[in-house]
Amino acid sequence: MTDTPPDAMPKSLSETDALPPCDEHAQQYAAVRNAHETELLEDYVELIGDLLRHQGEARATDIAARMGVSQATVSKMVARLKVHGLVSSKPYRSLFLTESGKSMAEMSRRRHAILLRFLRALGVSDSTARIDAEGMEHHVSQETLDIMQRFTEAHFDS
C-alpha cells in the first residue's frame, strides 16, 4: 500500500462498484487466486529465460542472487518447475526452458514490457515502474494490457 494524502484520495465508488453482483464478485476473487498460483512460477521462468538470453546460462546461484532467496529455495522451486514441465536440467549444467517454459517466459516478458512502458509513459519513475510492473503483470487482464499498449503507442510513440 502507498501513503496517499487525504486530499488526493479518489472519489468514492458508486454503490454498484463497491459491491458488484455476487457471481461477478466471485469471478474477481477467483481470478486473483489463479494469478497468485502461477505468479511465482512465471517469475522464475521469466528470469531463467532472461539469464539464458543475456548470459547464455541460468545457474541456481544467479537465480538465488537475483531473486534475493537462498539456493535451497531455488532448488525447491526448480523441482516444482520440473514437475510442471517448464524447465529441464542436466547434472553440473545450467537450467534450460522446455517449450512450455519458453512460451510462459515470453508471455511474462511481453506483459512486463507493456506495463513498464505504460507506467513510464504516465511519468512513473523508473524504479517504481519496475517494481509495480513486476507485481501487476500477474494480475492484469489481456483486455487491459491491449488497451494500455494501444494507449502508449497512440500517445507516446513517434
Side-chain angles (χ1 to χ4, degrees), residues 81-141:
L81 294 170
K82 286 180 181 179
V83 167
H84 286 283
L86 300 168
V87 298
S88 65
S89 64
K90 296 176 183 169
Y92 310 106
R93 302 264 328 265
S94 72
L95 297 168
F96 302 93
L97 293 175
T98 63
E99 288 305 315
S100 295
K102 288 176 187 176
S103 177
M104 179 183 276
E106 185 53 41
M107 181 219 37
S108 292
R109 190 176 301 111
R110 181 180 175 278
R111 294 170 72 84
H112 189 95
I114 291 168
L115 284 161
L116 190 57
R117 286 185 66 224
F118 180 76
L119 293 170
R120 286 174 173 163
L122 292 177
V124 177
S125 69
D126 185 64
S127 61
T128 300
R130 287 178 181 275
I131 292 167
D132 289 349
E134 187 59 47
M136 293 168 65
E137 72 185 71
H138 306 290
H139 299 276
V140 66
S141 70

Side-chain angles (χ1 to χ4, degrees), residues 7 12-13 15 22 29-30 35 47 51-52 72 86 92 95 112 122-123 131 133 144 146-147:
D7 58 341
S12 296
L13 295 173
E15 193 170 312
C22 190
Y29 285 112
L47 176 57
L51 288 168
L52 289 168
L86 300 168
Y92 310 106
L95 297 168
H112 189 95
L122 292 177
I131 292 167
T144 301
D146 291 343
I147 291 168

Side-chain angles (χ1 to χ4, degrees), residues 3-11:
D3 293 326
T4 305
D7 58 341
M9 294 295 285
K11 294 184 181 192

Side-chain angles (χ1 to χ4, degrees), residues 14 17 25 43 48 54 69-71 88 95 121 130 134 149:
S14 71
D17 289 334
H25 214 181
D43 284 343
I48 291 167
H54 295 289
V69 298
S70 70
Q71 287 193 40
S88 65
L95 297 168
R130 287 178 181 275
E134 187 59 47
Q149 184 172 18

Side-chain angles (χ1 to χ4, degrees), residues 114 143 145-155:
I114 291 168
E143 176 185 0
L145 277 173
D146 291 343
I147 291 168
M148 288 175 162
Q149 184 172 18
R150 284 194 305 271
F151 180 85
T152 304
E153 289 170 353
H155 296 283

